[in-house]
Amino acid sequence: MSKAMHTELRLAQRMSRLGTETAFEVLAKARALEAKGQNIVHLEIGEPDFDTPAHIVDAAVDALHQGFTHYGPSAGLPELRKAIADEVGATRHTKVSADEVVVVPGGKPIIFFTMLALVEQGDEVIYPNPGFPIYESMIQFVGATAVPIQLREEMDFRLDTRELKSLITPRTKLIILNSPQNPTGGVMTLQDVEEVAAIVAETGVMVLSDEIYSHLIFDGDHHSLFSYDHLRDQVILLDGFSKTYAMTGWRMGYGVMRTDLAQQIARLVTNSNSCTASFTQKAGIEAICGPQASVAVMNDEFKKRRDYFAGRINRIRGFHCRLPKGAFYMFPSIAGTGWKSKPLADALLEEAGVAALSGTAFGSYGEGYLRFSIANSLDNIRIALDRIEAWVEKNVEEKAAKSLARNL
Ligand code: PLP
């Protein structure tokens, strides 16, 4: 038999510009350590540890039996689009029609499709840094220039609106906002949103407002740029089911936008996924229109974990952490340890058995921070903090931590 020929894989140039989400890589590394017998507490992955509520699962099973197993319209089932329009209208204090809604398999495709539909080579896109890594990845993939706006700890990780204004140029095609924010838990105040609304009105720039954590807020209310009727032509709202209803694996999210753009995004769906799974969408109707108690239960539990985590990590040498106001992540500064983020995240995984993400997984301004997901039980969070504390006792010198802390 002749030897199989090995042909060189010649990828398209654009693939070299595509980034990734480190959480999945750290998860794989943690699983490999587990396979070798090491015990790991998982605080790396950003998905609720709760099960999807039973009434939503039942709706999907019923839909399967009823034959919702076929292709559906690319923009989504009309009943689901209507339910989303009503829900977004109620929560953002405005009126929304079903033809402004596009249902897609997860929140992520709205980032992907918006970028493909609007952004060209040479355009500039302003995005939060530290921020969800897919923004920077997609901006670069489409050949645009990624313009970071730094979120600073001293501002509770809210963006500085004056800085935002100063970054806008004639080439700015899109601004990406994210509140409540991943990875910092920062939340825009009403005043922040008003100031951004004024900038957006003045400049005419389009905005992708990623509100995937809109229901996961601990203190105060969620404020959205989508509530400003005079900006509706410029704002694309991203929200979905993954985080609110613990449905990450179902893959269902949506965008709400001007109808002419919604039609174009639906064309991108036709060209890629064809549609979102039909029985999944039936479950989505139940999620929105059925009982909402599970959302409050999850929120209360995340809040308890947040308070516990912050109370303990702030007593660990070299760490300090603000209280996040939403989402389910803790983003402590590690500046006082004298360690850089990536080596510290690696050491905690390999030597302490705690999986967390380096702040730099969320962009260059994430240096000096770690991200811990609190989507794990309070018992496991307690074990993780015990392990971190013990590891720090051995590996971070008290004197060094004190002098570093003084210089912060
Ligand atoms: N946007 C942000 C800020 C996120 O953190 C995530 C998921 O982690 C998404 C979008 C994507 O959500 P989905 O899993 O529904 O695609």
Side-chain angles (χ1 to χ4, degrees):
M1 254 202 337
S2 64
K3 244 170 103 185
M5 283 271 288
H6 185 70
T7 47
E8 191 194 346
L9 176 63
R10 288 163 62 201
L11 289 173
Q13 181 61 34
R14 71 175 80 89
M15 288 303 286
S16 66
R17 302 194 300 266
L18 194 63
T20 190
E21 224 185 316
T22 313
F24 291 99
E25 283 169 14
V26 175
L27 178 65
K29 204 167 154 189
R31 292 256 187 264
L33 290 171
E34 284 174 321
K36 287 191 200 150
Q38 195 169 335
N39 180 284
I40 307 285
V41 181
H42 290 272
L43 301 183
E44 74 278 43
I45 204 88
E47 67 171 339
D49 53 316
F50 302 92
D51 288 331
T52 305
H55 65 102
I56 300 176
V57 175
D58 290 344
V61 173
D62 289 348
L64 280 167
H65 287 303
Q66 287 160 13
F68 282 88
T69 51
H70 300 272
Y71 289 133
S74 290
L77 294 177
E79 319 87 277
L80 178 58
R81 293 174 79 196
K82 171 79 173 71
I84 292 168
D86 291 348
E87 139 87 11
V88 169
T91 49
R92 275 64 170 198
H93 319 292
T94 181
K95 243 178 107 55
V96 181
S97 73
D99 54 5
E100 292 172 281
V101 176
V102 186
V103 180
V104 286
K108 261 183 192 163
I110 288 296
I111 302 171
F112 195 36
F113 294 154
T114 299
M115 223 76 88
L116 286 178
L118 295 181
V119 180
E120 297 195 82
Q121 210 160 4
D123 287 343
E124 292 173 4
V125 179
I126 300 173
Y127 71 104
N129 185 329
F132 188 47
I134 300 306
Y135 305 143
E136 192 178 296
S137 168
M138 284 310 305
I139 297 166
Q140 285 169 349
F141 188 65
V142 298
T145 304
V147 181
I149 175 152
Q150 183 174 4
L151 303 185
R152 294 186 177 82
E153 188 183 351
E154 59 272 24
M155 283 193 65
D156 264 339
F157 297 109
R158 293 162 29 238
L159 56 79
D160 179 335
T161 50
R162 271 182 312 187
E163 193 174 341
L164 175 68
K165 193 169 178 183
S166 75
L167 292 174
I168 297 174
T169 74
R171 310 199 80 145
T172 307
K173 192 63 176 279
L174 187 70
I175 297 170
I176 302 176
L177 300 177
N178 176 213
S179 175
Q181 212 248 351
N182 177 11
T184 67
V187 166
M188 289 174 80
T189 62
L190 179 58
Q191 190 181 337
D192 293 335
V193 178
E194 283 188 349
E195 287 174 13
V196 173
I199 295 167
V200 170
E202 191 184 316
T203 54
V205 178
M206 299 285 285
V207 176
L208 173 61
S209 184
D210 182 344
E211 304 180 17
I212 195 97
Y213 298 98
S214 62
H215 286 83
L216 297 172
I217 269 201
F218 305 124
D219 315 299
D221 294 317
H222 174 63
H223 301 290
S224 170
L225 206 62
F226 202 77
S227 302
Y228 296 76
D229 286 341
H230 64 290
L231 300 179
R232 282 287 281 282
D233 273 358
Q234 287 164 259
V235 181
I236 299 140
L237 171 78
L238 179 164
D239 205 334
F241 299 80
S242 302
K243 317 286 177 176
T244 310
Y245 300 105
M247 292 176 74
T248 46
W250 294 67
R251 309 312 300 139
M252 189 167 42
Y254 54 85
V256 190
M257 65 204 79
R258 50 192 293 170
T259 53
D260 50 1
L261 180 58
Q263 285 159 12
Q264 300 305 320
I265 300 289
R267 280 177 67 212
L268 284 164
V269 178
T270 306
N271 276 270
S272 51
N273 311 94
S274 294
C275 64
T276 304
S278 302
F279 59 91
T280 306
Q281 294 190 60
K282 291 295 277 184
I285 299 172
E286 174 62 23
I288 289 183
C289 303
Q292 299 296 306
S294 63
V295 183
V297 169
M298 245 184 358
N299 246 347
D300 286 349
E301 183 58 32
F302 283 139
K303 189 170 182 179
K304 258 190 238 151
R305 296 174 190 176
R306 170 197 76 161
D307 293 344
Y308 175 77
F309 192 106
R312 286 225 29 209
I313 201 98
N314 278 323
R315 294 200 299 274
I316 296 180
R317 188 185 296 157
F319 283 74
H320 70 88
C321 186
R322 293 195 175 225
L323 268 191
K325 298 201 164 43
F328 42 73
Y329 306 109
M330 309 296 290
F331 202 62
S333 162
I334 53 142
T337 63
W339 283 67
K340 291 256 187 202
S341 301
K342 177 78 169 65
L344 183 57
D346 288 344
L348 289 179
L349 175 62
E350 285 155 24
E351 296 167 24
V354 178
L357 299 184
S358 164
T360 50
F362 301 91
S364 52
Y365 292 125
E367 183 57 81
Y369 298 89
L370 291 183
R371 191 198 78 167
F372 295 89
S373 160
I374 48 171
N376 204 328
S377 68
L378 207 46
D379 280 348
N380 283 336
I381 290 173
R382 190 172 295 125
I383 295 169
L385 287 158
D386 289 345
R387 289 179 181 181
I388 297 170
E389 199 166 51
W391 186 91
V392 166
E393 281 297 315
K394 273 203 228 135
N395 295 284
V396 175
E397 243 188 87
E398 193 162 1
K399 263 200 329 233
K402 274 197 183 135
S403 73
L404 281 162
R406 265 199 303 277
N407 293 330
L408 291 178

